[in-house]
Every structure is written in C-alpha cells, then in structure tokens.
Amino acid sequence: MRMPRRGLVIQARTRWLLVGLALLFSLVLLMYLLECAPQTDSNGSLPGVVGESMGKEYYQALLQEQEEHYQNRATSLKRQIAQLKQELQEMSDKLKSLQEKKSPKFNGMNYQGTKEQTSNDLLEFLHSQIDKAEVSVGAKVPSEYGVVPFESFTSMKVFQLEMGLTRHPEEKPVRKDKRDELVEVIEAGLEVINNPDEEDGQDEDDGVGDRQLYSENDFIEGYYRTERDKGTQYELFYKKMDGMEYRHVTLFRPFGPLMKVKSETVDISRSIINIIVPLAGRTEAFAQFMQNFRDVCIHQDKRVHLTVVYFGQDGLSEVKSILESVARETDFHNYTLVSLNEEFNRGRGLDMGARAWEKGEVLMFFCDVDVYFTAEFLNSCRLNAEPGKKVFYPVVFSLYNPAIVYANQDIPPPVEQQLVHKKDSGFWRDFGFGMTCQYRTDFLTVGGFDLEVKGWGVEDVHLYRKYLHGDLVVVRTPVPGLFHLWHEKHCADELTPEQYSMCIQSKAMNEASHSHLGMLVFREEIEAHLRKQAYRTNSEAAG
C-alpha cells in the first residue's frame, strides 16, 4: 500500500517541477525581449494606452526619427564647415590681392604665411564683433526705443514680441531654417558643457566619469537677439531635473560660425527674492494675489520674502488680516508690512520697500497686485539679474477683458485656465517697464525712482532709462511665466497730459484684441445681417 502512495507523491512533485521550469523559461524569455527592445526617450509619449503592445511599425518610426535627427545634425555641421571654409577663402583672396598690389614679387613661399595670417585675422575680426556687441557690457542707449529686446524660447516654442497680424505671441517655429538654428544652438551649448575648456572653470581632477553629462532634455530656456551690424547673441540655461544648479552658456554668432563667449555654473539654491508690492485699497485683488503667492512662493519656491507697502488707512486692517491668516495656515513669517499714511505713489512705495530691507544685498522683484507669476519665472528672475552686471526687465503677457474674450460662455473660466498665450486672450506688454528684477545695490547706485513723479506710469520709464544710460546689461525679453490680469482702469483727472495719454493708451490696449474690438464696433451691422439671414431662411421655408 505504501508504494502506490509514494508513486503519486513523486508524480505530483514532477508535475510541479515541470510547471516551475515552464514559468522560469517564460520569465527568462520576457527579460530577453525587454533587454533587446529599442530604448525610447523617457520623456516621449508612447502610442495608445499604457501597456499596449508596440508593433513593428512603431519601432521603425522610432529608428527613422533617430536617423533623421543624426542626419540633420551632420548636415548642420557640414554647413558650418563649408561656411567657414568659404569665409576663410574670401578673406585669403582679399589679403592675397592686397599683397600683390604692395609687392609684385609675391610668390608661393610667402603665400603660405599669408594663409596663416588670414586665419588669425579672421579670428581677430570675429572676436572684435563680440567685443562690439552688447554681450558682457551694456551699451549706452539714448531711450527705451533703442533697446534690442531678446526673444525667449524652449525646446518646443518661441515667445516673440514682433507679431504683425499673422504671427502669434507663442508658437512653434514654422520655418525649417529657424528650427535648425535653435536645434544647432542647443546642441552647441551641450557641446560646450560636456567638453569644457580649461577656461570654463572645471576642476582639472574631474574626469569624464565624474562629470555629469547633459542632454537635450536638460535644456530649460534660452534667449536670443540679433544686432544687425554685429551678430546674434544666445543665452542658454540647462539644469538636471533633480538638481538646483544651472549651467549658463553664452554663444555669439558674428554672422559666421557660433563662437563660445563663456560657460559657467550658476547656483541659485540660496538666492532669496524680496518681492515688493505697493498697494492702496484693492483688498480683493490682494487676496487673489496672496493665493497665488501661497501656491508658488510658499509651497513650491520657498526662497522669498514679501514686502507690502500700503498707502492710507482704508483697507489696511483687511490687508493685515490676510497676511496674518496666511502666516497661521502655512507657518510663513518672511514678510514685512510697511504702512504709509499718504497718497499712493508707486515709485515711493517700491523705494520704501527696497530701503526697508536691512540684511544687506538682495535680489528684488518689483511686482503689482494684478500680476500672476510662476515658480519658473522666479528662477528666470534669479538667472538674468547679476549685481553690478545685469538687470532683468521681462515683458509681461497682459490678459484682455475676460468678459469679452469669453463672451460666448455663461461665465469666464477660472484665472488658472485663462493663462494662455494667444492673440485673442492677450498681448506682450512691450510698452510696460514696471515688472523688473534687480539687485538692491544696483537700484540704490542709479538713484532709485524719481520720487517727484506722482500717480501713474512715468516713474518706471525713468528708472529704465537710468540703466540704459549706464554700463549694466539690460535683459529685455518676453517670459512665459508672467501674466498681468485684467482689471478696470481709471485715469484720474489730476494726471499730467503725458501720464493721462499713457493711461488711456494702456486702457485701450488692455480691453480686447483687434478682431474682438472689431466685432464690438460692427456689432449692429452683424446683428442686422443675422436678422436678414433669418428672415430669408423663414421666407424660403414658408414658400
């Protein structure tokens, strides 16, 4: 009786062993397939839902995309080499011609020396173009209209000031040459970072294995501008996703191949921003501002100080209550409330806010209660202002009246859903200079605001002109993370004619886009047309 029972046990064990071997074989086969599968970009989007089996066509498309990428890169390099050879040849021919005119006995022996001299002369000329351009030292400009502004871009979009009637404030580069240019610039910046020269400040002991290599996915943002008689300047910023250090590369194309100007590491982890907001009344707007401040500055950035300069007594207790409520709920106490019992003066408010800081040097962001900003903008503020060297004047995207933009909806959407860069939703406020990031010492050195100016507008332009007439570089560019929210404007009778004109201009431009204003102007004509159409349709139906 024991033998049969033992045989059954052995048979059961054998069955389970075979099942185990089958599972082990399946697992090994699965690991082999995963290992042999083509690697995909971690940031790319896979077709279909997660877990969908990827067919042969998908992998062929990926391989073709990679092949096109390397072909475009090779074409770009060949084009640069050909361009440089052509310029060298042209310079060589010119020098040869001059030499022949000076010495009839010119022969092949001294021609070789001339070729070497040509290369040196060309490099000297290209570097002289960098020295002439406004790259390291600001150029003295007679007025705000003489500034050459930057345009900003990411790896996918360009944010541009010059739109005309067809271009958009935010768009993907349509022209292939513009796409190729930006791709080339981003890759050139990566080449500088990943293969540094001795002058770039890298430690000699750091080998390639110890150094972090950057890729296209680490590109954060860039700015570029072209001075027509000198060349194009590029400011590029790269950052690892899990780090706080930025790599800043400046490139310059002196109407020829790209040339490196500098490469540096920028650590903004300890850079505090003192956000200064002048205010009088407008307590509802301040409550909305503090909601954005709580989300961006307290919960995300965590490296800010808020200074509110309040004018008058009406509404002061509400402002105090809002600040105290935020402090209790978030344990945030890095704020200062300065109370002035006098008439509102924006320049004086910002000046008082700057002087109220007693902890030495600090980066300041002059802000208004109607401005919405993102955490990315705060980092742009840190990256584009440098004490004694640069001040940052971002161009704000100003939103139109939501009652007109969203007239076809029962109520306008929440503010967060209105923050889009479209022609019918807003415009780049390139005539406004109120939002700025600059260091306290630079502000005090140029003399601050003209405190004799009262009321609306002109004090910002006066401060801006002081920097233009000095030696600091003024970085002027549209930025995607800075919005001016629409609010009703009132132009006071006591304003000077110049101030009143600027106020009315701002009020008109803030209301709606060209097309939406046109629809309002011709509303009666449109309604009459619709009535005629309805009458004609009803008549045909009755007939």
Side-chain angles (χ1 to χ4, degrees):
M1 295 297 292
R2 291 181 182 177
M3 293 300 294
R5 185 177 302 173
R6 185 179 179 186
L8 289 174
V9 171
I10 294 174
Q11 187 177 3
R13 289 180 179 177
T14 303
R15 187 182 299 114
W16 283 111
L17 180 62
L18 290 174
V19 172
L21 288 174
L23 290 174
L24 179 62
F25 177 77
S26 300
L27 179 61
V28 171
L29 179 61
L30 178 61
M31 293 177 65
Y32 172 78
L33 291 174
L34 290 175
E35 190 68 24
C36 294
Q39 296 296 317
T40 60
D41 186 358
S42 60
N43 290 334
S45 58
L46 296 177
V49 297
V50 177
E52 181 181 348
S53 61
M54 296 175 287
K56 179 180 178 182
E57 295 81 3
Y58 172 69
Y59 292 110
Q60 286 178 340
L62 277 180
L63 291 173
Q64 184 178 358
E65 183 180 349
Q66 289 294 325
E67 184 177 356
E68 289 177 356
H69 170 76
Y70 289 117
Q71 285 179 349
N72 291 336
R73 176 61 176 156
T75 302
S76 174
L77 292 173
K78 289 178 181 178
R79 184 173 61 248
Q80 292 180 62
I81 293 171
Q83 187 178 8
L84 182 57
K85 285 182 177 179
Q86 182 181 357
E87 291 175 354
L88 284 170
Q89 185 62 45
E90 290 175 357
M91 184 70 74
S92 176
D93 292 342
K94 289 180 181 179
L95 289 175
K96 180 180 178 181
S97 175
L98 291 173
Q99 187 70 21
E100 287 175 342
K101 291 179 181 178
K102 291 181 179 180
S103 175
K105 297 180 179 180
F106 179 78
N107 53 42
M109 293 291 291
N110 56 28
Y111 177 66
Q112 184 65 32
T114 304
K115 287 176 65 177
E116 295 178 1
Q117 183 62 36
T118 299
S119 301
N120 293 334
D121 290 344
L122 176 60
L123 287 174
E124 184 178 348
F125 167 74
L126 295 176
H127 282 289
S128 70
Q129 291 291 83
I130 297 177
D131 294 336
K132 293 176 185 176
E134 191 180 353
V135 177
S136 300
V137 179
K140 295 183 179 180
V141 182
S143 74
E144 60 272 20
Y145 302 106
V147 171
V148 180
F150 287 83
E151 292 189 343
S152 58
F153 66 97
T154 65
S155 57
M156 296 296 295
K157 295 179 180 178
V158 175
F159 304 91
Q160 52 204 3
L161 288 175
E162 300 296 331
M163 294 184 296
L165 294 177
T166 58
R167 297 172 66 190
H168 300 277
E170 167 196 289
E171 66 182 18
K172 295 181 179 180
V174 177
R175 288 172 56 102
K176 184 177 183 301
D177 58 347
K178 174 56 70 175
R179 292 198 304 271
D180 290 346
E181 176 201 358
L182 297 182
V183 169
E184 177 195 357
V185 167
I186 293 172
E187 291 180 349
L190 289 172
E191 182 70 19
V192 170
I193 294 174
N194 292 331
N195 299 285
D197 298 332
E198 292 181 1
E199 62 192 45
D200 291 336
Q202 297 281 351
D203 293 336
E204 295 182 1
D205 296 336
D206 290 348
V208 176
D210 300 329
R211 192 169 61 240
Q212 272 193 321
L213 294 180
Y214 286 72
S215 69
E216 295 172 357
N217 295 329
D218 299 320
F219 176 71
I220 303 299
E221 63 181 355
Y223 310 105
Y224 70 91
R225 66 175 174 183
T226 300
E227 296 184 63
R228 297 175 186 269
D229 59 336
K230 300 177 185 71
T232 304
Q233 174 186 352
Y234 303 90
E235 302 288 340
L236 311 172
F237 295 95
Y238 303 80
K239 185 179 80 71
K240 289 291 183 183
M241 184 177 296
D242 55 350
M244 283 306 299
E245 273 193 351
Y246 283 75
R247 292 305 307 269
H248 175 207
V249 177
T250 301
L251 299 176
F252 190 78
R253 189 197 301 275
F255 296 120
L258 284 168
M259 297 180 64
K260 186 191 73 176
V261 177
K262 68 177 179 179
S263 175
E264 61 183 356
T265 299
V266 183
D267 183 6
I268 59 172
S269 59
R270 298 182 180 180
S271 178
I272 303 296
I273 299 180
N274 183 17
I275 301 177
I276 305 176
V277 181
L279 186 64
R282 311 274 327 273
T283 53
E284 290 185 5
F286 182 68
Q288 185 180 35
F289 173 87
M290 286 304 299
Q291 182 59 49
N292 179 48
F293 183 88
R294 179 201 299 244
D295 296 340
V296 172
C297 300
I298 300 177
H299 293 157
Q300 297 182 51
D301 190 84
K302 303 176 182 179
R303 291 165 291 160
V304 296
H305 184 95
L306 176 64
T307 300
V308 179
V309 182
Y310 195 85
F311 290 82
Q313 296 297 316
D314 187 19
L316 178 59
S317 59
E318 294 180 58
V319 169
K320 285 183 178 179
S321 176
I322 293 171
L323 289 171
E324 291 170 357
S325 174
V326 171
R328 281 195 310 271
E329 295 171 6
T330 63
D331 195 28
F332 176 82
H333 302 284
N334 295 330
Y335 71 88
T336 302
L337 177 61
V338 179
S339 176
L340 299 176
N341 192 18
E342 54 189 75
E343 183 183 353
F344 178 78
N345 181 319
R346 185 176 188 273
R348 173 160 167 73
L350 294 172
D351 187 83
M352 289 294 295
R355 297 179 189 279
W357 180 268
E358 299 177 347
K359 300 177 183 178
E361 182 67 289
V362 69
L363 175 60
M364 305 183 299
F365 170 38
F366 293 161
C367 188
D368 282 342
V369 72
D370 301 299
V371 167
Y372 185 102
F373 54 86
T374 65
E376 290 75 18
F377 166 74
L378 294 178
N379 284 334
S380 297
C381 179
R382 294 180 175 101
L383 292 168
N384 290 286
E386 189 173 351
K389 294 184 178 180
K390 292 190 299 185
V391 292
F392 188 37
Y393 272 87
V395 181
V396 182
F397 193 77
S398 191
L399 298 177
Y400 292 132
N401 187 345
I404 298 176
V405 175
Y406 305 99
N408 59 341
Q409 302 182 20
D410 294 335
I411 58 173
V415 171
E416 291 76 15
Q417 297 179 21
Q418 299 178 29
L419 306 177
V420 292
H421 302 91
K422 297 190 179 299
K423 294 187 73 170
D424 285 336
S425 63
F427 66 100
W428 292 114
R429 197 183 185 88
D430 58 342
F431 57 84
F433 306 96
M435 306 308 114
T436 173
C437 298
Q438 51 193 260
Y439 276 86
R440 185 173 182 269
T441 52
D442 295 330
F443 174 76
L444 297 177
T445 299
V446 298
F449 286 103
D450 183 355
L451 299 182
E452 298 301 318
V453 177
K454 297 184 181 298
W456 191 89
V458 181
E459 77 284 348
D460 299 330
V461 182
H462 286 185
L463 177 63
Y464 185 62
R465 288 174 181 170
K466 287 181 180 180
Y467 286 116
L468 297 181
H469 298 161
D471 294 329
L472 271 66
V473 175
V474 177
V475 179
R476 177 77 166 158
T477 179
V479 290
L482 193 61
F483 295 86
H484 181 271
L485 305 180
W486 183 89
H487 62 91
E488 187 72 43
K489 281 188 175 295
H490 174 68
C491 300
D493 293 335
E494 56 267 21
L495 294 176
T496 65
E498 182 184 7
Q499 289 176 319
Y500 194 83
S501 175
M502 291 176 66
C503 184
I504 290 295
Q505 178 191 16
S506 176
K507 184 174 182 177
M509 293 189 67
N510 269 276
E511 200 63 23
S513 66
H514 193 130
S515 59
H516 275 153
L517 286 176
M519 297 292 285
L520 291 175
V521 170
F522 299 110
R523 181 170 54 189
E524 293 182 2
E525 186 176 333
I526 294 170
E527 291 175 351
H529 172 74
L530 293 176
R531 285 195 298 269
K532 290 178 182 179
Q533 288 287 342
Y535 176 76
R536 185 179 305 169
T537 302
N538 294 333
S539 299
E540 291 176 355

